[in-house]
Amino acid sequence: MFPKNKHIWLIILSFLLTVSAIQAQNWKKVDPDEKELEKRYRMAIHLENTGRKEEALKVYKYIYEQAPEKQKYLQRYLRLLFQMEKFDSMRQILQKHLDNNPQDLDSWLNLGVAYYQQGEKKKAFQHWNKVLEQFGHSQKVYRKLFIQYLRLQEYEKGQELVENLRQRENDKNLMALEMGELYTGQGQYKKALEEYLKYAQSHKNYDYVMRRILRFPDEPHVLTDIEPFLNKQIPSDSRNVKLLEIKEKIYFKYKNFDRASQIAFQIEKSSGYSGKHIKNFTHNLVSEKKYDLAEKNYYRIMKNDKFQSIHHQALLGLADIAEKKIENQKTNLFNYFYPDNYFFNSYYYYGIEKDLVYLEEAFSIYDSLLTQSHNHRFSAKVNFRLGKLSLLATRDFDSALKFFRSAYNQSEKYPFRIQCAQRLAQTFLALGELDQASQEINKLYSRLNTRYQQKLLPDRLLIELYTENPKIDSLANQALGELGFQNDYYNDVFELYSFLEKYREAKGFDDFIRAEIKLKQDQLGRARSIYQYILDSYQSSIREPALFRSVQMQLYFDNYQKAEVLVEKMDSTSIYRSDAIFMLAEIAGDRKNDAEMASKWYQELVISYPQDINVDKARRRLRQLSQKK
């Protein structure tokens, strides 16, 4: 009877194997000469790796002559001879070795390589044919010889070799995978596809074959080349779901989304309408921003009773598309100040109208889902999305609180509850209720383990910043240690810590934080006034970030010329000036459609700050603008 604890069993098994191995060796000790040879072998490898090949060759020669039975000494010696093109020596050694080891297949094949490299190709091929006969035309020999042909770029010989094997064995599928690789390397994608599909069907390894096919180049001509064979080999009414999946992936890869969509529905029909495949496929369409086709799929799902199990998810998908369309229209110029940093970025949607049709559509679908669904987990997701739209798009903070609270209560999953608590805190911040925001975060924080607590550290830090905690510097430093540099928020906290080190003691710092709070509350007029007050009242270093924020405010209120004047006032050594210039260029090009003004500022960035992180993007934009002229 085996021990119940599998770890104990593994220890016992390891011990028995060790004892068995020791007994088999009869306590044989390593010969001192063998130790010396191993030492010289390692020295030869070192000499070879450091470019001292002639010296390495002498050592390899010595240790091989002392122990010709050691394969690793022989192979390393031969490899270096090959690299140094000493083919005469290579032949002599191989022939001598084969006299004593006539069953060493690799050495017989390598002898042919030596003939080939000396220009005796005819002799080499004759030699390899004899090797095939000598080893009884086994598939092992064919496969090894095929690899040699590919290394020597003898592709036609490789094809002939495989055809001979197939005829000999009366099996057209032999070495199909190898032939697929050969044809792929030659750019013969139709033939490669044919071989890969042979392999897939004979070995039932469809996923591996799919990955190989999807490595074909993305050029449209490839699909044109393979499509006739693809449709003939895998007809639309095929019952082989795995083959249909390969066909669908090929069409998706080459951006023929309509055709791929048709096949996705055929896969559902062939597999009993589980809904899983078409749901994932349509989600991928959304990722590719093919919203119209994705909507069409979702409506088709909802009209088909056989997809009843995923009707709610299709409706959720429609709402998701509406949200994506909203996000495509939003702008956020405040993100140019410490880009994508949680502490400085405004998370609201700007540049959209509250009566936007997509917004109305999303709210309508979500309301419908709440009415229909009796699944708390599903309702939690819907309430969360309604809360997000209410907070970020319509600024209906009271409704946002209600939705986020419902979502929190309807789910027991901590990762989701953390998201809800973060959004609740953001909504309380928007309402100016900092104490409530703090309570919301700390209440959940106290219930979590360390791994989950890390997710709330940035939120706690932001609240401490806004409530003017005098220890904010040390708290930020402590958070860096707790998060670790691989955490998604580490860089955000590091930038905040650097900002605090630079400006914490500056006169006007508290006013700057007060303006940042107004920005987070979407009170942009009040924020603008405070930034301007800082510029009028203080001569400290806090003017630098306040000036950048003032530029953004002028741009938000469509005062582009005033924004330019402020940028001109920036000191050339300011850490914010290059970002401000890049922002002016982007706004001129994207929002104002003023190519001349955009070019002016892009050029200023490239000339004045050639090492800036945005220079490559600026150069690309300049090329695009010049092509439009």
Side-chain angles (χ1 to χ4, degrees):
M1 185 174 183
F2 293 148
K4 291 180 180 179
N5 188 312
K6 66 177 182 180
H7 297 294
I8 294 174
W9 168 241
L10 288 173
I11 292 169
I12 293 171
L13 178 60
S14 176
F15 174 74
L16 291 173
L17 289 172
T18 304
V19 171
S20 176
I22 292 170
Q23 289 175 339
Q25 293 175 27
N26 293 319
W27 297 95
K28 179 183 177 182
K29 294 182 179 180
V30 178
D31 190 284
D33 291 339
E34 189 175 335
K35 281 186 176 181
E36 179 62 26
L37 290 177
E38 281 296 308
K39 183 179 178 180
R40 289 178 182 246
Y41 177 66
R42 289 192 297 272
M43 181 180 71
I45 292 174
H46 174 73
L47 291 169
E48 182 183 350
N49 291 338
T50 54
R52 297 157 68 183
K53 294 186 177 182
E54 288 291 350
E55 294 176 63
L57 198 62
K58 291 176 182 177
V59 181
Y60 283 135
K61 182 176 185 295
Y62 172 80
I63 59 176
Y64 166 67
E65 288 174 348
Q66 298 305 308
E69 73 283 357
K70 287 274 190 178
Q71 272 291 324
K72 70 176 183 179
Y73 296 164
L74 171 66
Q75 295 304 323
R76 198 84 193 197
Y77 185 24
L78 289 172
R79 194 185 80 158
L80 187 54
L81 286 170
F82 180 84
Q83 290 176 356
M84 297 175 71
E85 299 184 1
K86 295 180 179 291
F87 301 119
D88 280 332
S89 298
M90 188 177 170
R91 283 171 65 167
Q92 291 172 14
I93 292 163
L94 281 167
Q95 286 166 341
K96 181 179 179 181
H97 172 77
L98 287 167
D99 287 341
N100 298 316
N101 302 274
Q103 296 304 311
D104 186 349
L105 172 60
D106 289 332
S107 292
W108 281 111
L109 295 176
N110 285 331
L111 183 57
V113 172
Y115 294 145
Y116 185 95
Q117 294 294 350
Q118 287 188 297
E120 300 182 58
K121 292 186 179 182
K122 184 177 179 180
K123 184 175 182 178
F125 288 118
Q126 289 173 346
H127 170 79
W128 283 320
N129 287 333
K130 288 179 182 178
V131 173
L132 282 170
E133 293 177 9
Q134 180 181 339
F135 286 88
H137 290 273
S138 74
Q139 289 188 29
K140 178 182 177 181
V141 183
Y142 276 93
R143 290 181 189 281
K144 284 181 172 285
L145 186 52
F146 180 81
I147 292 170
Q148 291 284 21
Y149 285 167
L150 261 58
R151 286 174 178 165
L152 298 170
Q153 298 183 4
E154 289 285 352
Y155 301 124
E156 290 186 10
K157 288 290 185 181
Q159 293 169 34
E160 289 176 15
L161 186 73
V162 173
E163 287 303 319
N164 289 339
L165 175 62
R166 288 175 175 177
Q167 289 176 14
R168 198 176 177 83
E169 300 289 336
N170 194 26
D171 186 349
K172 65 180 181 180
N173 296 320
L174 285 174
M175 296 184 65
L177 186 62
E178 289 87 346
M179 288 300 290
E181 293 293 296
L182 171 65
Y183 287 130
T184 300
Q186 290 183 299
Q188 299 188 59
Y189 301 109
K190 175 181 169 293
K191 289 185 176 181
L193 177 63
E194 181 179 0
E195 295 294 337
Y196 282 137
L197 291 180
K198 283 181 186 178
Y199 179 83
Q201 291 174 286
S202 60
H203 289 76
K204 307 302 179 189
N205 196 345
Y206 296 96
D207 292 338
Y208 178 78
V209 162
M210 187 187 298
R211 291 195 296 272
R212 308 309 291 179
I213 294 171
L214 294 180
R215 290 173 58 204
F216 289 175
D218 291 335
E219 286 86 352
H221 73 83
V222 177
L223 180 61
T224 304
D225 181 31
I226 67 176
E227 192 170 23
F229 175 79
L230 181 66
N231 288 324
K232 180 180 178 182
Q233 192 70 16
I234 312 174
S236 297
D237 58 354
S238 172
R239 293 291 178 180
N240 188 324
V241 171
K242 288 294 185 180
L243 285 178
L244 285 173
E245 287 179 0
I246 291 175
K247 186 175 181 179
E248 175 210 289
K249 295 285 187 186
I250 290 172
Y251 276 111
F252 198 95
K253 173 184 172 68
Y254 291 103
K255 311 297 182 186
N256 191 334
F257 299 111
D258 288 308
R259 187 76 182 95
S261 190
Q262 293 170 11
I263 299 167
F265 277 104
Q266 178 60 35
I267 289 170
E268 284 289 350
K269 182 179 179 181
S270 299
S271 56
Y273 294 99
S274 70
K276 182 179 179 181
H277 185 86
I278 192 63
K279 182 185 72 174
N280 292 337
F281 174 85
T282 306
H283 179 76
N284 291 337
L285 284 178
V286 174
S287 299
E288 291 285 331
K289 298 185 178 181
K290 298 300 173 182
Y291 300 133
D292 292 342
L293 182 57
E295 283 180 332
K296 184 179 175 182
N297 280 2
Y298 282 133
Y299 282 121
R300 184 174 172 181
I301 289 168
M302 292 169 63
K303 289 177 182 177
N304 191 334
D305 290 339
K306 293 177 180 177
F307 289 122
Q308 183 72 36
S309 63
I310 61 165
H311 277 185
H312 281 175
Q313 293 177 55
L315 202 53
L316 193 64
L318 285 169
D320 183 53
I321 291 172
E323 276 198 66
K324 290 286 193 298
K325 289 179 178 178
I326 295 167
E327 290 180 7
N328 284 346
Q329 294 195 13
K330 74 176 182 180
T331 59
N332 188 358
L333 60 86
F334 299 111
N335 195 33
Y336 288 95
F337 185 73
Y338 293 96
D340 298 319
N341 187 296
Y342 174 74
F343 301 100
F344 297 108
N345 191 14
S346 174
Y347 30 71
Y348 298 108
Y349 294 168
Y350 296 106
I352 65 169
E353 301 296 330
K354 291 187 179 181
D355 60 352
L356 184 70
V357 63
Y358 305 133
L359 196 55
E360 293 179 0
E361 185 180 344
F363 273 110
S364 175
I365 293 172
Y366 286 138
D367 286 339
S368 173
L369 281 166
L370 279 182
T371 304
Q372 297 175 29
S373 176
H374 302 291
N375 182 318
H376 280 307
R377 185 179 174 186
F378 191 76
S379 296
K381 186 183 293 186
V382 174
N383 271 310
F384 183 83
R385 291 194 177 188
L386 280 167
K388 185 179 171 185
L389 285 176
S390 299
L391 172 64
L392 306 184
T394 64
R395 319 295 201 270
D396 183 353
F397 301 138
D398 291 331
S399 293
L401 283 177
K402 180 189 74 174
F403 289 129
F404 288 135
R405 183 71 69 200
S406 295
Y408 183 96
N409 292 332
Q410 288 168 338
S411 176
E412 295 181 357
K413 302 281 187 180
Y414 273 118
F416 183 74
R417 279 195 158 189
I418 288 170
Q419 292 180 50
C420 293
Q422 288 171 323
R423 289 299 188 185
L424 279 166
Q426 288 172 5
T427 310
F428 280 124
L429 282 176
L431 289 165
E433 299 178 21
L434 297 180
D435 289 341
Q436 280 288 95
S438 179
Q439 288 176 25
E440 202 63 50
I441 292 297
N442 289 328
K443 180 175 66 177
L444 181 59
Y445 184 86
S446 64
R447 301 175 188 169
L448 300 174
N449 61 33
T450 304
R451 181 166 66 93
Y452 283 133
Q453 283 180 342
Q454 287 184 354
K455 295 181 181 295
L456 291 175
L457 276 177
D459 303 277
R460 299 184 81 207
L461 202 56
L462 182 67
I463 292 167
E464 296 296 338
L465 176 67
Y466 286 176
T467 52
E468 301 181 14
N469 188 322
K471 297 182 179 178
I472 185 63
D473 314 60
S474 60
L475 289 172
N477 192 28
Q478 180 183 339
L480 286 173
E482 292 183 37
L483 290 173
F485 68 91
Q486 291 184 327
N487 188 283
D488 291 340
Y489 285 106
Y490 182 86
N491 190 57
D492 292 3
V493 177
F494 181 78
E495 287 182 331
L496 173 64
Y497 179 71
S498 300
F499 183 86
L500 292 170
E501 274 203 317
K502 187 174 178 66
Y503 300 112
R504 182 73 180 85
E505 301 302 323
K507 287 184 178 181
F509 176 82
D510 291 342
D511 286 319
F512 183 85
I513 295 302
R514 197 157 52 88
E516 290 293 294
I517 294 173
K518 296 303 177 186
L519 185 62
K520 278 285 199 291
Q521 294 172 344
D522 197 40
Q523 297 182 30
L524 301 185
R526 289 287 300 125
R528 178 172 64 168
S529 298
I530 298 171
Y531 292 130
Q532 186 59 49
Y533 172 78
I534 292 170
L535 295 177
D536 294 340
S537 305
Y538 302 107
Q539 295 302 315
S540 69
S541 59
I542 201 66
R543 288 174 57 85
E544 278 192 311
L547 188 55
F548 189 100
R549 282 301 202 193
S550 293
V551 173
Q552 292 181 316
M553 288 298 168
Q554 294 297 346
L555 290 172
Y556 177 81
F557 290 105
D558 207 25
N559 296 321
Y560 191 86
Q561 289 183 332
K562 289 184 178 179
E564 287 186 300
V565 171
L566 289 175
V567 172
E568 295 289 2
K569 288 182 179 180
M570 283 184 168
D571 192 287
S572 61
T573 61
S574 170
I575 61 172
Y576 302 108
R577 190 168 187 271
S578 62
D579 286 334
I581 290 172
F582 183 70
M583 178 174 63
L584 285 178
E586 294 277 282
I587 298 300
D590 295 340
R591 269 177 48 183
K592 298 177 72 65
N593 293 317
D594 189 333
E596 184 177 346
M597 187 64 69
S599 296
K600 168 192 167 183
W601 288 110
Y602 282 132
Q603 287 170 356
E604 172 72 13
L605 179 69
V606 171
I607 293 169
S608 300
Y609 302 95
Q611 304 302 318
D612 190 81
I613 192 171
N614 289 312
V615 162
D616 287 342
K617 189 182 290 185
R619 287 198 175 101
R620 285 199 302 274
R621 297 283 170 83
L622 282 169
R623 285 195 295 271
Q624 292 168 359
L625 290 169
S626 65
Q627 290 168 2
K628 290 180 180 179
K629 291 180 181 179

